[in-house]
């Protein structure tokens, strides 16, 4: 991320996600540049798309895009915009940045895979805690649990930036809808890996990754 010299408007949004992204791409996701169009690949959806710098850095480290693109982040002719564009960024599954869209899209993706009889691919979506202020996410959470979308995984990066508190905390909201949940230190790679790979038969899984507060 140090290579990026553009107008980084959302630095904390990116730095809060870096460890989660690295563990997913390095140890969990079954996806690679050579499998970008493989129906059997895992899908990763960055819903927290307003801070994509860490995402671009991880994609570059894993060979999806040239590292030479990184210094031009945010410039006029760069494919690496302030919000990812799936038509310009190799490896990006969705265009994102409008908060509240990623989790509903992930639910639809999981349903689509089920309808096609594709049981192996897993769907992962990364959201920020402040995104849970958007009602569309709660509709998706409420639907996914009873639907038994066991191939759906949500990672909530919690940097204490949400405007509205939730009784019992973030995990309780998912649990009330029938999800499996784990809350971990979002900087601890081994703890993240254990949470990401925890069994959750018949239920979607949510990992709440706590990091330092945005205002710290």
């Amino acid at each position: 991320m140090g290579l990026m010299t553009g107008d980084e408007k959302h630095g904390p949004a990116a730095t809060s996600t870096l460890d989660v992204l690295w563990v997913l791409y390095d140890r969990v996701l079954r996806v690679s540049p050579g499998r970008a169009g493989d129906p059997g690949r895992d899908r990763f959806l960055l819903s927290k798309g307003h801070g994509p710098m860490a995402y671009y850095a991880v994609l570059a480290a894993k060979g999806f895009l040239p590292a030479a693109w990184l210094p031009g982040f945010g410039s006029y002719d760069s494919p690496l915009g302030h919000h990812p564009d799936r038509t310009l960024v190799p490896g990006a599954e969705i265009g994102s940045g409008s908060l509240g869209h990623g989790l509903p899209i992930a639910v639809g993706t999981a349903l689509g895979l089920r309808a096609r009889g594709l049981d192996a691919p897993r769907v992962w979506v990364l959201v920020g805690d402040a995104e849970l202020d958007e009602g569309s996410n709660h509709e998706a959470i409420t639907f996914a649990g009873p639907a038994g979308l066991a191939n759906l995984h949500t990672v909530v990066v919690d940097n204490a930036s949400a405007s509205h508190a939730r009784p019992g905390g973030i995990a309780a909201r998912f649990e009330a809808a029938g999800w499996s949940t784990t809350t971990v230190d979002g900087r601890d790679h081994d703890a993240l890996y254990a949470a990401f790979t925890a069994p959750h038969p018949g239920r979607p899984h949510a990992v709440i990754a706590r990091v330092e507060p945005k205002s710290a």
Side-chain angles (χ1 to χ4, degrees), residues 171-213:
R173 173 65 189 93
F174 286 87
E175 290 166 0
W179 289 57
S180 165
T181 69
T182 305
T183 300
V184 297
D185 180 348
R187 300 303 189 190
D188 186 327
H189 288 202
D190 289 337
L192 286 168
Y193 177 74
F196 294 158
T197 57
H200 51 94
R203 297 195 290 167
H205 185 51
V207 175
I208 292 80
R210 291 177 171 166
V211 298
E212 61 279 359

Side-chain angles (χ1 to χ4, degrees), residues 125-149:
V125 57
L126 189 157
V127 306
D129 63 311
E131 277 193 79
L132 297 182
D133 291 340
E134 303 289 340
S136 55
N137 284 309
H138 294 277
E139 293 180 15
I141 292 167
T142 300
F143 176 86
L149 295 180

